[in-house]
Amino acid sequence: GGGGAGTLAIQLARLAGAEVTAVDSGAKLDGMRAAGADHVLDYSRADFTATDVRYDHILDVVANRPLRHFARALAPGGSLAMIGGTPGTLLKVATIGPLLGLATGTSLRLVIHRPMIAELERLGELCVAGQVRPVIDSRFALADIRDAAARFASGQFIGKVVIVVDPALAGESEAA
């Protein structure tokens, strides 16, 4: 929930009226709260799939757990959408997910979506209106791409790590 896709997903879910539980490392809990999450979990301290809480929808950007764990965490009729993860997990979702979903009364699927222009325009409108705010952790000049890659690889960023071509725009930070 604390990366670029996660912080946008939190805001979009809240706009849709959802109660949002976001999961990431402990260092990102405040950033997820700032993005609008109602509940935050540190994945190193709690496994959201091993509790009694059942979720209507799960969006996972870095899926790396067995499908049965996701199925266990979903409410009847609930859905899992994966937009990233380990190759093995993604392959299982694409092949076994539909069958497991039938057996559990849930929907387990891989999302491969090419946004339509209208969707991107709507997201832009929400940003301009201030209803959604892209979270930018840090900006790096193109010449500093190694530093940007190191920041991204650290996993400690909140939101997006941005590479800018115009050096005058680098170095600004808007972390949540």
Side-chain angles (χ1 to χ4, degrees):
T7 54
L8 282 175
I10 290 167
Q11 294 174 72
L12 292 170
R14 293 290 295 150
L15 275 176
E19 180 177 343
V20 177
T21 299
V23 180
D24 210 315
S25 68
K28 297 184 181 185
L29 300 183
D30 288 338
M32 293 185 301
R33 280 188 198 96
D38 298 291
H39 314 282
V40 295
L41 297 173
D42 177 348
Y43 62 71
S44 70
R45 296 180 182 264
D47 179 356
F48 79 94
T49 69
T51 69
D52 291 336
V53 177
R54 298 294 171 257
Y55 300 93
D56 294 323
H57 306 285
I58 298 173
L59 172 66
D60 201 325
V61 179
V62 291
N64 59 4
R65 64 184 72 239
L67 284 185
R68 68 183 181 282
H69 292 196
F70 288 112
R72 177 179 63 213
L74 286 169
S79 66
L80 163 70
M82 288 185 181
I83 58 174
T86 63
T89 301
L90 295 174
L91 183 60
K92 287 175 186 170
V93 168
T95 57
I96 300 168
L99 295 173
L100 183 57
L102 284 174
T104 61
T106 60
S107 173
L108 305 166
R109 60 193 161 87
L110 180 63
V111 176
I112 301 173
H113 180 69
R114 184 174 169 198
M116 305 291 280
I117 296 297
E119 293 172 317
L120 295 174
E121 288 174 344
R122 177 66 182 140
L123 182 58
E125 290 168 3
L126 291 171
C127 291
V128 169
Q131 292 180 285
V132 172
R133 185 181 68 85
V135 178
I136 299 173
D137 176 84
S138 49
R139 291 183 172 94
F140 292 87
L142 186 57
D144 298 322
I145 197 163
R146 285 188 180 164
D147 293 335
R151 176 72 180 155
F152 185 80
S154 77
Q156 297 304 307
F157 60 93
I158 298 173
K160 288 290 188 186
V161 175
V162 177
I163 308 294
V164 293
V165 177
D166 182 351
L169 299 176
E172 299 174 26
S173 180
E174 299 174 16

